[in-house]
Amino acid sequence: MELIQNNPDLSAYLAADEVIDHHHPAVREVAARLAGQVADSYTYAQAAFEFVRDTIPHSQDSGDLRVTWRASDVLEQGTGICFAKAHALAALLRAEDIPTAFCYQKFDVVHGLVAVRFNGAWHRQDPRGNKPGVDARFSLDGERLAFTPDPESGELDYPTLYAEPHPTVLDALRAAPDRPHLWKSLPTAL
């Protein structure tokens, strides 16, 4: 599948905003700690991916009822669904000048992940969190995502690489007072 940037300006994939608040002290602290443990941007990206995947539980898996959507909140509260975890990972990567995009898959509901830019190409990564039946890994050599869509069932990979989280996703996250409410209002398509 060919991935398509929705913004031709690569600097858009480094930007900070209200959601990807990579200048926030909580994001900077984690980024600095991870950067101090690695030698280059590739190993930093892998460390940031593994940090978000492994130390921030997916709220559905852990039973956490809180809804987070801002990257700093995900890191401070230590919880989030796929979209929130993608926001946290994007902030950590952008904090170290690694271009990061948001991408989505469609199953019964939309699933969120990121793509990182290395060696002139985009590589999708899914920090959702592993569990039985899910074994996502950081890879620039073939995708190791949490889920693979089944086109015969109407599932799909959206090819667009967004510089900012999709508004439909943000609207659902911002409007939900808790995860059970969010589960009833998750987008089913973009």
Side-chain angles (χ1 to χ4, degrees):
M1 175 182 71
E2 182 182 348
L3 299 172
I4 304 159
Q5 291 178 211
N6 81 320
N7 188 326
D9 183 358
L10 197 57
S11 69
Y13 296 89
L14 293 168
D17 59 24
E18 179 188 17
V19 181
I20 313 308
D21 57 344
H22 63 73
H23 298 301
H24 189 282
V27 177
R28 294 298 323 148
E29 185 275 322
V30 173
R33 184 165 25 97
L34 293 172
Q37 299 170 359
V38 299
D40 57 37
S41 61
Y42 172 81
T43 53
Y44 173 83
Q46 183 173 10
F49 170 84
E50 290 172 356
F51 176 84
V52 173
R53 182 193 66 190
D54 299 342
T55 67
I56 299 172
H58 188 288
S59 56
Q60 175 71 14
D61 297 348
S62 68
D64 196 315
L65 300 181
R66 295 174 292 170
V67 174
T68 55
W69 52 268
R70 182 179 290 116
S72 58
D73 292 341
V74 175
L75 295 174
E76 288 177 329
Q77 296 180 37
T79 191
I81 67 167
C82 61
F83 306 121
K85 292 182 68 161
H87 300 167
L89 179 55
L92 290 172
L93 295 170
R94 289 180 180 188
E96 292 296 314
D97 294 322
I98 298 170
T100 308
F102 300 96
C103 33
Y104 301 92
Q105 297 174 309
K106 181 191 180 310
F107 298 98
D108 291 338
V109 294
V110 174
H111 174 64
L113 50 153
V114 302
V116 296
R117 185 142 178 114
F118 275 100
N119 303 322
W122 289 101
H123 307 273
R124 294 189 307 165
Q125 313 293 330
D126 191 343
R128 181 229 177 267
N130 290 339
K131 63 179 188 172
V134 176
D135 185 27
R137 300 191 181 272
F138 186 85
S139 175
L140 302 184
D141 183 29
E143 294 183 333
R144 295 289 307 271
L145 305 179
F147 308 110
T148 303
D150 175 14
E152 292 181 13
S153 300
E155 299 173 349
L156 60 92
D157 283 309
Y158 288 106
T160 304
L161 298 170
Y162 295 92
E164 300 169 347
H166 196 282
T168 303
V169 167
L170 282 180
D171 290 347
L173 290 169
R174 287 177 170 149
D178 57 32
R179 191 178 38 78
H181 182 275
L182 176 62
W183 242 237
K184 296 175 192 167
S185 62
L186 283 173
T188 57
L190 296 182

